[in-house]
């Protein structure tokens, strides 16, 4: 392989030890996106080895969610190349990317309001995995158990509290049985106990072999799961590397001055 | 496998079981009805059943699929003409020719969808209407079936329809009454198949994805829902069914003209009225709506244009004050669903649905 992610980012972080030898699952090369005159994603390049958990941090408006939308295809890239499992998916529609194994949560929860929580998962599992309802029923029930949604399984998703909606985002993404799971700020607003629970859940998913990219402002939750952190600012990758090194770097401390570290 | 808990999934409710039994009883009564009922009642029921089927298909399109078409008269008219053509020109028996109505409407739906699916919202609606007009003008040039003035089915074609002689003998009625009974029975079968078929479809995973798309199209695509495919499916089903009903309506009528076959008032405006007043996006809604429509028509038909104005005003009032229609009001108050599609996860061993 030609370059490691940290070399591309050129942030001065040390290259990583083990995971880079694993085959890469996702790679972005020079990806750009502008909304009008606003450049929201600016020449973003990085590679993600299979099985790794990557954290993404950066100030509000840095372009983190947009980066997810580019990876899932909900937004089309202006330039650059996105590869998933060594296939060019830059122009692939979101539905196909989901079928290939990219699962996501939305920062602002997007539940199917009139469907029940269980049905929300059924849609994802039957379509995202191309299986029948019968085949996925017990998997969906297990995911509801795991994400603490069993009590509200038969309630309309529109009636859930914000925290429950965020859990539903995670649960619905899991129901598609993703190889790459993209999580966008699902820990905000949780109590400490809930946060510990969430971290345990995500760790377990990660141990199961799923590659994870997690955008999160709750840094202690993030750093207790991820092996690597990527920092975005004004749409650019300013640092990428192991959490302790990235958090110790001067640039990142400047960006995050006044924000919990 | 998992020894913790077992789950089962069900859509059944007590109300739906009762509703199913009542529906079965009604269907049996409806089948034997011609033995006692007057000819006028049979004709009224034919009207109700065919309008009900058209309304269910439009509801599938607009209420479930978000495809607000105002061009369904294209499929009614084309279906009807594709019955008249073969019957008049080749002497085909009209009963099996009904299948041609459906098949040709389906074929017409392919280019229509190809064109109209490029348009969205109001433009989609206008696009479907334009297609209907184009088909109407084209059919009006077809001289063999009367061109712009229209034509009638040959008398023998209708009197020798499959089943008519047997019905004459069975009920001891004249040919014209036997034709009415046959048409009524076919309309009944079509309505039952339509409601049953749509209900079954909504209970499949594709039916579930329709609801997901309606709630949040972006999220649906992100979990692997093929939005384009499901839209095509719904559009083609609706066209096929609408074509058969169109063929049946004009078979019973015996006469056709481009203006009546492609009437936007009769086959789209009234149908939308039925769905909106009854409750869009439910199977119960159009059933209730068609009854309201029938009574309004019976009591107001003598008032000419006042009748249309009343329908319009009522439709607008419902849209403003009860956007979910009469059935919406009822189910909100009572929590009743006669055709439940909600899957409930039940803990503990249970029967599969
Ligand atoms: N669809 C859009 N149209 C226009 N501007 C957008 C759109 N989505 C995001 N933006 C803008 O792009 C910038 C980055 O947004 P986002 O990716 O959501 O940031 P983050 O997730 O890092 O907070 C913000 O300034 C936001 O207002
Ligand atoms: Mg964001």
């Amino acid at each position: 392989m030609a370059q490691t992610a940290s070399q591309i980012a050129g942030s001065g972080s040390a290259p990583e030890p083990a995971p880079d030898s694993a085959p890469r699952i996702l790679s972005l090369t020079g990806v750009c996106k502008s909304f009008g005159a606003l450049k929201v994603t600016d020449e973003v390049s990085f590679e993600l080895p299979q099985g790794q958990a990557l954290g993404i941090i950066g100030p509000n408006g840095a372009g983190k969610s947009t980066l997810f939308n580019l990876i899932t295809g909900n937004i089309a890239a202006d330039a650059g190349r996105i590869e998933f499992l060594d296939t060019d998916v830059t122009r692939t529609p979101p539905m196909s990317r989901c079928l290939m194994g990219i699962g996501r949560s939305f920062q602002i929860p997007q539940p199917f309001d009139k469907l029940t929580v269980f049905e929300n998962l059924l849609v994802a599992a039957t379509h995202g995995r191309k299986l029948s309802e019968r085949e996925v029923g017990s998997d969906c029930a297990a995911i509801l158990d795991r994400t603490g949604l069993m009590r509200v399984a038969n309630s309309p998703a529109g009636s859930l509290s914000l925290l429950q909606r965020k859990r539903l985002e995670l649960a619905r993404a899991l129901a598609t049985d993703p190889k790459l799971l993209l999580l966008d700020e699902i820990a905000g607003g949780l109590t400490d106990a809930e946060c510990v629970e969430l971290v345990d859940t995500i760790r377990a998913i990660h141990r199961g072999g799923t590659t994870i990219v997690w955008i999160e402002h709750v840094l202690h939750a993030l750093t207790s799961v991820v092996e690597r952190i990527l920092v975005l600012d004004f749409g650019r990758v300013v640092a990428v590397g192991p959490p302790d090194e990235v958090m110790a770097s001067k640039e990142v401390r400047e960006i995050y001055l006044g924000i919990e570290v | 496998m998992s020894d913790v808990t077992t789950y089962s999934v069900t859509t059944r409710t007590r109300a739906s079981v009762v509703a199913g039994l009542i529906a079965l009883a009604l269907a049996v009564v409806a089948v034997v009805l011609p033995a006692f009922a007057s000819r006028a009642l049979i004709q009224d029921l034919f009207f109700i059943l065919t309008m009900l089927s058209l309304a269910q298909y439009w509801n599938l399109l607009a209420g479930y699929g978000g495809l607000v078409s105002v061009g369904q008269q294209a499929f009614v008219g084309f279906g009807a003409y594709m019955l008249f053509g073969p019957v008049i020109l080749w002497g085909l028996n009209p009963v099996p020719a009904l299948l041609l109505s459906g098949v040709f409407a389906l074929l017409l739906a392919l280019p229509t969808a190809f064109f109209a699916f490029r348009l969205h919202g109001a433009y989609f609606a206008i696009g479907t209407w334009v297609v209907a007009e184009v088909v109407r003008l084209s059919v009006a040039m077809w001289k063999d079936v009367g061109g712009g003035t229209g034509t009638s089915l040959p008398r023998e074609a209708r009197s020798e329809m499959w089943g008519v002689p047997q019905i004459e003998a069975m009920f001891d009625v004249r040919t014209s009454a036997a034709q009415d009974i046959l048409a009524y029975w076919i309309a009944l079968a079509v309505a039952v198949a339509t409601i049953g078929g749509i209900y079954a479809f909504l209970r499949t995973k594709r039916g579930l994805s329709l609801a997901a798309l309606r709630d949040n199209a972006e999220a649906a695509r992100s979990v692997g829902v093929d939005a384009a495919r499901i839209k095509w499916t719904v559009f083609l089903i609706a066209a096929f069914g609408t074509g058969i009903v169109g063929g049946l309506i004009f078979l019973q009528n015996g006469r056709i003209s481009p203006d009546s076959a492609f009437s936007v008032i009769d086959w789209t405006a009234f149908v939308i009225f039925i769905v909106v007043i009854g409750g869009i996006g439910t199977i119960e809604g159009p059933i209730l709506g068609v009854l309201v429509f029938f009574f309004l028509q019976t009591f107001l038909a003598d008032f000419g244009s006042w009748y249309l104005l009343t329908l319009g005003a009522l439709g607008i009032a419902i849209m403003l004050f009860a956007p979910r229609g009469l059935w919406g009001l009822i189910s909100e108050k009572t929590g009743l669903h006669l055709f439940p599609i909600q899957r409930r996860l039940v803990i503990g061993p249970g029967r599969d649905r």
Side-chain angles (χ1 to χ4, degrees):
Chain A
M1 226 164 284
Q3 302 165 296
T4 67
S6 47
Q7 279 164 345
I8 295 168
S11 68
S13 323
E16 312 208 22
D20 271 7
S21 58
R24 63 184 180 174
I25 186 166
L26 178 73
S27 99
L28 275 69
T29 319
V31 175
C32 297
K33 178 70 200 177
S34 300
F35 292 115
L38 185 67
K39 194 139 204 188
V40 182
T41 308
D42 190 358
E43 291 282 334
V44 169
S45 302
F46 69 88
E47 288 189 351
L48 188 60
Q50 200 138 25
Q52 194 176 65
L54 171 73
I56 296 186
I57 60 171
N60 278 326
K64 304 181 297 294
S65 298
T66 302
L67 189 60
F68 269 15
N69 284 325
L70 291 166
I71 296 172
T72 58
N74 293 89
I75 291 177
D78 294 338
R81 186 179 162 88
I82 302 168
E83 278 177 45
F84 179 68
L85 292 171
D86 292 321
T87 311
D88 186 349
V89 296
T90 318
R91 298 272 164 261
T92 308
M95 176 218 27
S96 315
R97 292 196 214 189
C98 170
L99 292 173
M100 292 172 75
I102 302 179
R104 72 165 304 172
S105 78
F106 288 91
Q107 178 180 355
I108 299 164
Q110 311 279 331
F112 306 127
D113 279 333
K114 296 197 190 68
L115 299 187
T116 67
V117 169
F118 175 61
E119 287 174 319
N120 267 259
L121 267 60
L122 269 185
V123 172
T126 52
H127 291 269
R129 298 169 65 186
K130 286 198 178 277
L131 294 175
S132 72
E133 285 189 41
R134 195 174 289 270
E135 288 167 306
V136 300
S138 59
D139 281 0
C140 290
I143 292 170
L144 288 176
D145 240 348
R146 191 175 197 185
T147 49
L149 289 170
M150 190 51 94
R151 256 178 344 101
V152 289
N154 294 323
S155 309
S159 71
L160 299 186
S161 69
L162 180 62
L163 288 184
Q164 287 170 326
R165 281 165 197 243
K166 287 195 171 192
R167 284 192 203 172
L168 177 56
E169 283 293 319
L170 170 64
R172 196 176 60 187
L174 286 177
T176 64
D177 193 25
K179 299 186 179 82
L180 171 64
L181 176 62
L182 307 176
L183 300 173
D184 197 348
E185 299 196 22
I186 56 169
L190 295 185
T191 65
D192 285 348
E194 287 166 337
C195 201
V196 168
E197 219 174 282
L198 179 69
V199 164
D200 283 343
T201 309
I202 296 175
R203 272 213 191 107
I205 295 162
H206 183 36
R207 268 200 308 274
T210 308
T211 311
I212 293 174
V213 183
W214 186 6
I215 296 173
E216 193 52 78
H217 283 308
V218 184
L219 291 182
H220 63 85
L222 188 68
T223 50
S224 63
V225 173
V226 300
E227 287 123 25
R228 204 160 61 125
I229 281 185
L230 182 150
V231 186
L232 267 187
D233 194 22
F234 293 109
R236 303 186 70 92
V237 179
V238 295
V240 56
D244 45 344
E245 284 172 32
V246 167
M247 298 320 295
S249 86
K250 194 162 153 284
E251 266 174 303
V252 175
R253 299 196 78 86
E254 270 167 18
I255 292 168
Y256 263 82
L257 213 63
I259 298 178
E260 174 206 9
V261 176
Chain B
M1 289 168 278
S2 133
D3 52 1
V4 204
T5 331
T6 53
Y7 305 96
S8 62
V9 180
T10 177
T11 58
R12 213 175 290 139
T13 62
R14 191 170 301 153
S16 76
V17 175
V18 173
L21 292 174
I22 292 175
L24 197 68
L26 277 178
V28 171
V29 171
V31 169
V32 299
L33 198 65
F36 333 100
S38 71
R39 196 168 159 202
L41 178 62
I42 293 296
Q43 286 170 343
D44 284 346
L45 286 174
F46 174 85
F47 173 76
I48 290 175
L49 288 168
T50 48
M51 289 309 276
L52 171 59
S53 296
L54 290 181
Q56 290 290 356
Y57 287 117
W58 190 81
N59 185 40
L60 175 67
L61 272 184
Y64 289 99
L67 296 166
V68 181
S69 162
V70 294
Q72 291 311 97
Q73 67 276 15
F75 305 112
V76 171
F78 196 61
Y81 266 98
M82 287 302 136
L83 180 134
F84 272 59
V87 170
I88 292 172
L89 300 178
W90 310 328
L92 196 68
N93 191 297
V95 176
L98 281 170
L99 207 60
L100 288 183
S101 301
V103 170
F104 276 96
L106 188 74
L107 291 177
L108 174 63
L110 294 172
T112 304
F114 188 78
F115 160 70
F117 282 179
R118 275 147 211 275
L119 309 169
H120 297 281
Y123 293 98
F124 172 82
I126 293 166
T128 55
W129 178 78
V130 168
V131 169
E133 282 303 288
V134 169
V135 179
R136 179 176 71 86
L137 293 171
S138 313
V139 166
M141 293 188 293
W142 187 5
K143 292 284 184 304
D144 291 340
V145 288
T149 49
T151 188
S152 299
L153 282 179
R155 179 178 288 275
E156 327 74 73
R158 271 158 48 83
S159 56
E160 285 159 20
M161 273 191 294
W162 289 358
V164 167
Q166 290 85 335
I167 293 172
E168 276 176 60
M170 190 179 0
F171 294 111
D172 188 23
V173 288
R174 282 187 312 184
T175 311
S176 53
Q179 285 167 13
D180 286 352
I181 293 173
L182 178 67
Y184 160 79
W185 272 343
I186 298 174
L188 179 64
V190 168
V192 169
T194 297
I195 292 175
I198 290 177
Y199 183 44
F201 176 70
L202 292 175
R203 286 165 47 121
T204 64
K205 71 176 205 180
R206 266 179 231 303
L208 185 63
S209 77
L210 266 183
L213 273 169
R214 199 162 48 152
D215 275 359
N216 195 320
E218 184 84 349
R221 276 188 268 271
S222 294
V223 295
V225 171
D226 192 339
R229 179 171 161 173
I230 188 89
K231 280 188 178 178
W232 272 93
T233 309
V234 163
F235 197 77
L236 296 184
I237 292 176
F240 180 77
T242 302
I244 289 187
V245 178
L248 181 58
I249 289 171
F250 283 89
L251 168 61
Q252 164 67 359
N253 209 354
R255 220 201 115 61
I256 198 168
S257 71
D259 289 343
S260 62
F262 293 90
S263 160
V264 64
I265 300 272
D266 288 332
W267 315 129
T268 295
F270 286 163
V271 163
I272 294 177
F273 175 83
I274 290 170
V275 174
V276 166
I277 206 164
I280 193 166
T282 63
I283 292 180
E284 297 91 336
I287 299 176
L288 204 53
V290 79
L291 296 176
V292 173
F293 174 69
F294 174 74
F295 286 111
L296 285 176
Q297 211 191 33
T298 313
F299 293 120
L300 296 176
D302 297 337
F303 296 93
S305 54
W306 282 105
Y307 158 60
L308 289 178
L309 283 173
T310 310
L311 285 191
L314 199 61
I316 290 169
I318 291 271
M319 276 189 246
L320 288 177
F321 301 113
R324 295 176 56 219
L326 295 175
W327 180 256
L329 290 179
I330 294 174
S331 72
E332 218 164 89
K333 289 241 155 50
T334 60
L336 204 60
H337 295 281
L338 303 183
F339 297 90
I341 50 176
Q342 190 171 84
R343 291 118 172 112
R344 279 172 305 119
L345 187 64
V346 185
I347 296 180
R351 279 170 299 156
D352 265 316
R353 71 192 184 94

